[in-house]
Structure formats: structure tokens, C-alpha cells
């Protein structure tokens, strides 16, 4: 676990349910922090649904060993954004991970202890939905390193917000600080007229943040260009989404002096 000592900030991305765009937010936040000049790592511990490699068009890449441990797969030549995922360890992208809890726990511990992040400033950890073995393992193993905390991702609907409320309870019981809440898929902004339509209602994430006494980090709209780009592993500098994500990244950087 001493390899994590070179990481300045550790941020865990959580959601109470699937389908809220948690991995998409993790990817875009990593890209936004890199655009701010930071060295970033992205650790995908969603063992049963490792989507991060595909989003970066890294399918088929392999993990290499060095004397210090596993090297992440870098997205860029400058090695400013590194990715680690079980997707790099599968022989076939269609292989299913059919593991019981202890084996999942051992794999996550290995990811946290054996990856050489090389003085990474921000490590973003993308987790599966829910509050299961994977989450408990991550929290228990990170506690000694005083992680910055968790960012909770929700969509505006009441069902998703209710699940995030339970995620807040999980964070408090496991002792991880909550950095804030992001409301994803918060309206669809028309690329032609710029009018925003609230397909899934709006304001649920912000209201939950107020009720819970945590920071609301912002709304991210639905963006067709971004969705299509992620399908083919292409980076998209779409204004509506990137403007919102850059604001979140700036808030995180401004919080540096206040975070552990």
C-alpha cells in the first residue's frame, strides 16, 4: 500500500444505482483535471463491468510490470493520464468475471497496493453501483491514506436520488468524507437552438445536497456527441458537458487547501 503514498489526492466516485453515468463522469473528470495541468490516474474497480478501457479506446492493451509494481496504461504520450482496469487482464473482452466476494476483495487490494502511479496528483477510483464488498474493501484499504473523499453521482429522478441518500449513509458509516454531489443527465441541451429540456425533471441532486449538508458540485447535461464519442473511444470536447465538468475540476483544485 506504500505505493499510494505518492498520490496526493484520492477521490472515489460512487452511485447508489447503475445507469446514472458514473463511469462517464469519472472519465470526464479525469480528462478535465488533466486539462488543468494535473497528473491523473483512473482506477476502475468495477470488476464485473469494466467499461473504462473502452471509453479511452484502450481495448486490447496489456499491463506491464516494473520493479515498483504494475504500470498503468497511459492514454497519452506525455503520461499525464494513466488507467488501470481488470479489463486489461482479460484475454477476451466478452469474458465474464464470475467471482465470489473474497476473490473480488483480493483483486481490489492488489490494484490498490501493486500499481505504481508515479507521483500522481489525483487518483480517481471508479466503483460499481451499490454498497457491496468492493466498496467496503476500497474504503477499508484507503482509510490509512486519508482520502479526500467521495463524489456521489445521481440523476434528477426521485428513485436515483433515493439511492444516493443511502450511499450518503454508507459513506458516513464507513468514515469517508463526502466531497459533494453531481447531478448527471440534468436536462438535454439542443445543439441547434441551445434550449434545455428537463427530460428527467431537475434539481433532485441539488435538493439532496442541501438536505444532507454537503456541497453541490454542479449539473451535467445529456450530450449526444459525448455519448457517441464514448461508444467509439473518442475524446469529445463538447461545450455543454465540458463546461460543467471543468467547473467541478476547478472546485476540486480550489479545495486542495481544505482537503486532507
Amino acid at each position: 500500500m506504500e505505493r499510494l503514498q505518492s498520490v496526493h489526492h484520492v477521490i472515489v466516485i460512487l452511485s447508489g444505482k447503475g445507469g446514472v453515468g458514473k463511469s462517464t463522469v469519472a472519465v470526464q473528470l479525469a480528462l478535465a483535471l488533466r486539462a488543468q495541468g494535473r497528473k491523473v490516474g483512473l482506477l476502475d474497480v468495477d470488476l464485473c463491468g469494466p467499461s473504462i478501457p473502452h471509453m479511452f479506446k484502450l481495448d486490447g492493451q496489456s499491463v506491464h510490470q516494473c520493479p515498483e509494481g504494475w504500470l498503468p496504461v497511459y492514454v497519452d504520450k506525455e503520461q499525464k493520464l494513466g488507467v488501470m482496469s481488470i479489463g486489461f487482464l482479460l484475454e477476451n473482452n466478452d469474458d465474464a468475471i464470475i467471482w465470489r466476494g473474497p476473490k473480488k476483495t483480493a483483486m481490489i487490494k492488489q490494484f490498490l497496493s501493486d500499481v505504481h502511479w508515479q507521483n500522481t496528483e489525483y487518483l480517481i477510483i471508479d466503483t460499481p453501483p451499490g454498497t457491496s464488498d468492493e466498496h467496503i474493501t476500497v474504503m477499508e484499504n484507503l482509510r490509512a491514506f486519508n482520502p479526500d473523499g467521495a463524489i456521489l453521482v445521481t440523476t434528477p429522478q426521485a428513485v436515483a436520488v433515493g439511492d444516493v441518500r443511502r450511499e450518503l449513509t454508507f459513506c458516513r458509516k464507513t468514515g469517508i468524507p463526502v466531497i459533494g454531489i453531481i447531478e448527471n443527465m440534468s436536462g438535454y441541451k439542443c445543439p441547434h437552438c441551445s434550449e434545455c429540456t428537463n427530460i428527467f425533471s431537475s434539481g433532485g441532486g441539488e435538493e439532496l445536497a442541501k438536505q444532507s449538508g454537503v456541497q453541490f458540485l454542479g449539473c451535467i447535461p445529456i450530450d449526444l456527441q459525448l455519448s457517441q464519442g464514448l461508444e467509439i473511444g473518442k475524446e469529445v470536447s463538447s461545450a455543454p458537458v465540458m463546461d460543467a465538468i471543468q467547473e467541478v475540476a476547478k472546485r476540486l483544485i480550489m479545495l486542495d487547501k481544505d482537503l486532507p
Side-chain angles (χ1 to χ4, degrees):
M1 294 295 289
E2 65 274 5
R3 291 180 179 85
L4 281 179
Q5 291 175 352
S6 66
V7 177
H8 302 173
H9 298 283
V10 178
I11 298 170
V12 183
I13 308 295
L14 298 173
S15 70
K17 67 190 301 295
V20 300
K22 172 183 52 56
S23 295
T24 299
V25 169
V27 166
Q28 296 304 310
L29 183 57
L31 290 170
L33 287 167
R34 184 188 65 173
Q36 294 286 330
R38 310 294 168 145
K39 185 170 183 178
V40 185
L42 181 52
L43 175 58
D44 180 6
V45 297
D46 189 349
L47 301 182
C48 294
S51 57
I52 299 295
H54 181 75
M55 291 182 179
F56 282 111
K57 207 173 183 178
L58 296 174
D59 293 325
Q61 295 288 329
S62 300
V63 173
H64 298 285
Q65 291 273 1
C66 70
E68 293 81 9
W70 284 347
L71 284 174
V73 176
Y74 286 97
V75 174
D76 47 12
K77 293 180 180 178
E78 298 78 19
Q79 297 191 352
K80 298 290 284 186
L81 175 52
V83 178
M84 178 57 69
S85 170
I86 197 170
F88 299 135
L89 305 179
L90 300 177
E91 291 184 6
N92 190 308
N93 288 338
D94 295 329
D95 288 346
I97 301 297
I98 309 173
W99 292 351
R100 294 189 184 275
K103 193 167 183 180
K104 288 183 179 181
T105 298
M107 186 76 257
I108 292 172
K109 285 182 177 178
Q110 191 168 3
F111 275 151
L112 292 172
S113 63
D114 289 358
V115 179
H116 181 47
W117 292 107
Q118 303 182 70
N119 295 313
T120 291
E121 293 176 83
Y122 285 87
L123 177 62
I124 311 295
I125 302 180
D126 183 36
T127 64
T131 53
S132 58
D133 286 350
E134 292 96 320
H135 304 82
I136 295 170
T137 300
V138 170
M139 303 311 180
E140 286 180 345
N141 284 273
L142 287 180
R143 195 173 292 135
F145 297 93
N146 295 319
D148 291 13
I151 291 177
L152 309 185
V153 180
T154 186
T155 51
Q157 305 101 306
V159 172
V161 170
D163 287 330
V164 171
R165 188 175 284 109
R166 286 184 281 275
E167 201 79 35
L168 277 165
T169 303
F170 169 81
C171 289
R172 285 164 180 164
K173 285 186 175 180
T174 55
I176 184 169
V178 176
I179 296 171
I181 295 174
I182 290 176
E183 183 177 294
N184 193 30
M185 305 185 198
S186 184
Y188 170 70
K189 197 166 186 178
C190 177
H192 304 294
C193 67
S194 297
E195 182 179 348
C196 185
T197 303
N198 293 316
I199 300 172
F200 301 128
S201 74
S202 65
E206 186 170 10
E207 183 61 29
L208 176 60
K210 288 179 182 177
Q211 293 174 5
S212 306
V214 301
Q215 186 174 16
F216 183 64
L217 295 174
C219 295
I220 301 175
I222 297 170
D223 190 289
L224 183 59
Q225 285 185 321
L226 176 63
S227 300
Q228 291 173 339
L230 291 173
E231 285 292 322
I232 59 174
K234 177 183 177 183
E235 288 186 29
V236 177
S237 300
S238 176
V241 170
M242 288 311 299
D243 287 350
I245 287 286
Q246 286 288 357
E247 284 303 312
V248 175
K250 288 175 184 176
R251 288 189 184 191
L252 291 177
I253 292 170
M254 288 174 63
L255 284 170
D256 271 6
K257 61 180 180 297
D258 300 321
L259 293 174

